[in-house]
């Protein structure tokens, strides 16, 4: 990490998915420093239990704090669904109440405003996110009367983590899951990609869904919600370093992470392997 990168914004995901969020955040807020952490060695999180996702996420947050981050974004729906509230309410007060951890579910639900005509929303997410009911609970709070149908796609993250996203096996699973969702509720006119890995399959999902269905992808939403957050919280914003640098950490080998991450970031990056515990 560069010497001047004293207080980067931490971005955490189980693997490569959070890069789809980081790319949009950097596009909107290029002046800040960013430290990305992908727990690739233990991905996917989507099929893991509540306790394990919470424990792994807390380890990642502590790691990012120890490297100077005062603000961490859980760029992972599964971690946001299963660990965010406990970390905010139980852990932060003892670790350091002046630090912040934010998630991606609330801003995504806020962005639904005005998008649906039928009031029928579809959700593609990991089994853990769908089972947690986090999206349903947020939607009920903000838009009573909207109907949410969740569909878990357990194969999508492994396809991406194993570099199969652009091969025919991915077409098969994307079609299978989009058909299942649209059969479950044919009145759906808006679909949330509720996993940060899924934008990597965007073109296949777009092709497989009826053209009239809106797709809500999280990168730009989370970026503008972060910009808004920083404007409303100058006490946090003033602690962030601004050299426009990014660094990348992974729990897998850097030799496998860096080339894949360079593809997703559309620019060459280097990374460092670390161990979380
Ligand atoms: N990208 C993450 C999410 O948004 C996690 C995927 C996984 O590890 O299963 O849910």
């Amino acid at each position: 990490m560069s010497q001047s990168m004293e207080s980067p914004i931490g971005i955490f995901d189980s693997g490569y998915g959070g890069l789809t969020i980081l790319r949009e955040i950097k596009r909107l807020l290029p002046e800040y420093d960013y430290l990305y952490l992908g727990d690739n060695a233990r991905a996917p999180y989507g099929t893991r239990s509540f306790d394990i996702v919470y424990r792994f996420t807390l380890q990642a947050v502590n790691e990012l704090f120890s490297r100077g981050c005062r603000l961490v974004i859980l760029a992972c729906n599964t971690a946001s669904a299963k660990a965010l509230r406990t970390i905010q309410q139980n852990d932060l007060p003892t670790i350091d109440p002046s630090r912040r951890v934010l998630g991606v579910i609330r801003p995504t639900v806020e962005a639904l405003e005005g998008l649906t005509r039928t009031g029928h929303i579809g959700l593609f997410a990991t089994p853990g996110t769908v089972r947690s009911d986090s999206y349903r609970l947020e939607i009920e709070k903000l838009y009573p009367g909207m109907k949410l149908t969740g569909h878990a796609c357990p194969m999508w993250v492994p396809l991406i983590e194993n570099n199969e996203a652009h091969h025919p096996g991915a077409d098969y699973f994307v079609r299978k899951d989009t058909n299942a969702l649209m059969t479950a509720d044919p009145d759906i006119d808006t679909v949330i990609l509720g996993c940060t890995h899924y934008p990597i399959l965007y073109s296949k999902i777009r092709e497989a869904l009826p053209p009239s269905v809106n797709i809500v992808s999280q990168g730009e939403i989370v970026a503008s919600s972060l910009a808004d957050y920083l404007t409303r919280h100058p006490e946090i914003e003033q602690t962030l370093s601004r050299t426009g640098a990014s660094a990348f950490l992974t729990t897998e080998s850097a030799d496998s992470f860096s080339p894949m991450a360079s593809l997703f970031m559309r620019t060459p990056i280097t990374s460092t392997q670390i161990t979380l515990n």
Side-chain angles (χ1 to χ4, degrees):
M1 196 181 359
S2 94
Q3 208 54 44
S4 52
M5 201 165 134
E6 281 159 8
S7 181
I9 297 174
I11 309 280
F12 168 67
D13 181 48
S14 62
Y16 295 111
L19 296 169
T20 65
I21 303 285
L22 175 59
R23 203 172 60 208
E24 296 304 325
I25 291 179
K26 273 179 66 81
R27 207 201 302 268
L28 190 66
L29 301 166
E31 64 272 34
Y32 298 105
D33 296 331
Y34 297 96
L35 180 57
Y36 186 87
L37 170 54
D39 192 6
N40 300 74
R42 302 189 294 193
Y45 279 15
T47 43
R48 292 187 185 273
S49 67
F50 182 98
D51 283 355
I52 295 287
V53 172
Y54 163 66
R55 187 152 59 80
F56 288 179
T57 304
L58 183 59
Q59 288 171 353
V61 166
N62 277 326
E63 181 69 31
L64 289 166
F65 282 171
S66 77
R67 291 170 183 263
C69 299
R70 308 199 60 80
L71 170 65
V72 171
I73 314 288
L74 302 185
C76 174
N77 291 265
T78 312
S80 300
K82 294 188 162 196
L84 178 64
R85 182 154 319 159
T86 314
I87 291 176
Q88 284 175 333
Q89 292 178 356
N90 295 358
D91 297 299
L92 273 185
T94 49
I95 300 171
D96 181 347
S98 73
R99 301 199 191 216
R100 294 288 178 273
V101 180
L102 306 175
V104 290
I105 294 179
R106 176 80 188 202
T108 305
V109 170
E110 284 170 353
L112 289 176
E113 173 126 40
L115 278 185
T116 172
R117 292 173 314 281
T118 62
H120 290 237
I121 309 285
L123 168 71
F124 289 130
T126 64
T129 300
V130 171
R131 236 181 293 122
S132 76
D133 253 354
S134 301
Y135 272 95
R136 185 181 316 283
L137 296 170
E138 288 295 338
I139 285 175
E140 275 169 8
K141 271 189 244 157
L142 290 187
Y143 318 104
M146 253 188 207
K147 180 175 190 271
L148 179 79
T149 302
H151 179 80
C153 308
M155 290 304 292
W156 292 11
V157 170
L159 285 164
I160 293 160
E161 288 289 317
N162 291 292
N163 202 13
E164 289 289 333
H166 303 294
H167 298 130
D171 289 291
Y172 170 80
F173 283 105
V174 167
R175 293 218 170 257
K176 180 170 179 262
D177 289 314
T178 49
N179 287 343
L181 179 70
M182 295 311 294
T183 305
D185 181 358
D187 292 331
I188 287 171
D189 70 353
T190 302
V191 169
I192 302 167
L193 301 188
C195 170
T196 55
H197 280 68
Y198 295 174
I200 293 162
L201 291 168
Y202 184 89
S203 56
K204 291 190 193 303
I205 300 167
R206 181 65 283 172
E207 254 173 54
L209 281 171
S212 58
V213 170
N214 301 313
I215 299 180
V216 177
S217 188
Q218 296 179 303
E220 287 177 24
I221 292 170
V222 174
S224 66
S225 150
L226 175 60
D228 180 53
Y229 179 87
L230 295 177
T231 310
R232 286 185 291 110
H233 293 276
E235 76 288 1
I236 303 287
E237 199 276 341
Q238 278 153 20
T239 66
L240 302 172
S241 55
R242 300 160 163 259
T243 68
S246 300
F248 297 83
L249 306 170
T250 175
T251 54
E252 247 304 338
S253 95
D255 288 348
S256 61
F257 182 85
S258 299
M260 281 278 277
S262 302
L263 277 180
F264 298 143
M265 292 302 289
R266 300 187 190 133
T267 183
I269 67 112
T270 55
S271 60
T272 306
Q273 183 173 14
I274 60 158
T275 305
L276 286 179
N277 48 47

